[in-house]
Amino acid sequence: MTDVLLFHHALGLTAGVRAFADELRAAGHSVVTPDLYDGVTFGSIADGVAHAEQVGFEAIADRGVTFADGLGDRLVVAGFSLGVLPAQKIAQTRSEVIGAILYHSAVPAAMFGSEWPAGVALQMHFTEHDEWAVEDIDAATSLAVEAGGDLFMYPGSGHLVADSSFTDYVPSQADLIIERTVAFLDALG
């Protein structure tokens, strides 16, 4: 069993994010899904991003960091899109992290003041023509090289393809993302 801290995307803690977490739990892993928006959800990515901009991206990342306290000394952090900010910040700044999974977004390691930490496993998932992640692909490619991590690319242009409650949902891709995520977690467990 692996302890996972999974952060939601700009839409908030949706039923789709909860369902994804349930899939990981069904595979035998412990998953915590903090709500960085205090119960607010959005129907469009643009509205969710506008809310995140109003709150502040750094404030959202910092909210996420506080959730890592006391979760154990062998933690895997994961995040969908906006949730990558706290996940990646925790992965790069906390010694208890053994792995990170970044879904649909990544930022350069330098954003959090350091290189990717040695010994922290990395897995990333992107859709090839995702307009929300165009700028993130370069960061993901660099991180994959730096960390020796896996970067999985999926066909299409959807952004939140693994969220069953959103219009971008692609069941076959979501199943593959879950399969690869579970294999990653099993290997770290």
Side-chain angles (χ1 to χ4, degrees):
M1 178 185 79
T2 304
D3 293 324
V4 181
L5 180 57
L6 175 64
F7 294 104
H8 63 75
H9 43 61
L11 299 179
L13 186 54
T14 62
V17 171
R18 287 186 173 108
F20 190 94
D22 286 342
E23 292 282 341
L24 303 182
R25 289 182 189 108
H29 301 286
S30 171
V31 183
V32 175
T33 53
D35 188 344
L36 302 174
Y37 282 3
D38 298 321
V40 177
T41 59
F42 297 91
S44 78
I45 295 172
D47 289 345
V49 169
H51 175 74
E53 287 173 340
Q54 184 179 21
V55 171
F57 293 116
E58 187 173 328
I60 288 171
D62 289 342
R63 284 181 186 177
V65 168
T66 63
F67 282 102
D69 293 338
L71 288 181
D73 60 355
R74 292 186 45 81
L75 182 64
V76 174
V77 290
F80 287 100
S81 192
L82 175 70
V84 162
L85 291 175
Q88 192 171 332
K89 183 172 185 175
I90 294 165
Q92 289 188 235
T93 60
R94 303 285 289 262
S95 62
E96 69 270 25
V97 175
I98 60 170
I101 310 167
L102 311 180
Y103 304 102
H104 321 304
S105 184
V107 296
M111 182 169 179
F112 299 113
S114 66
E115 296 177 350
W116 191 260
V120 176
L122 177 63
Q123 185 181 81
M124 296 173 286
H125 302 265
F126 281 81
T127 307
E128 291 173 342
H129 304 290
D130 177 357
E131 67 182 49
W132 287 99
V134 169
E135 295 176 11
D136 297 1
I137 298 291
D138 288 341
T141 302
S142 294
L143 283 173
V145 170
E146 187 176 332
D150 292 319
L151 172 57
F152 296 107
M153 300 295 293
Y154 301 88
S157 60
H159 184 55
L160 304 175
V161 298
D163 183 328
S164 60
S165 64
F166 189 60
T167 57
D168 285 355
Y169 180 61
V170 179
S172 61
Q173 289 179 2
D175 289 347
L176 187 53
I177 291 170
I178 289 169
E179 178 183 315
R180 288 172 168 165
T181 297
V182 168
F184 179 81
L185 296 175
D186 289 347
L188 292 173

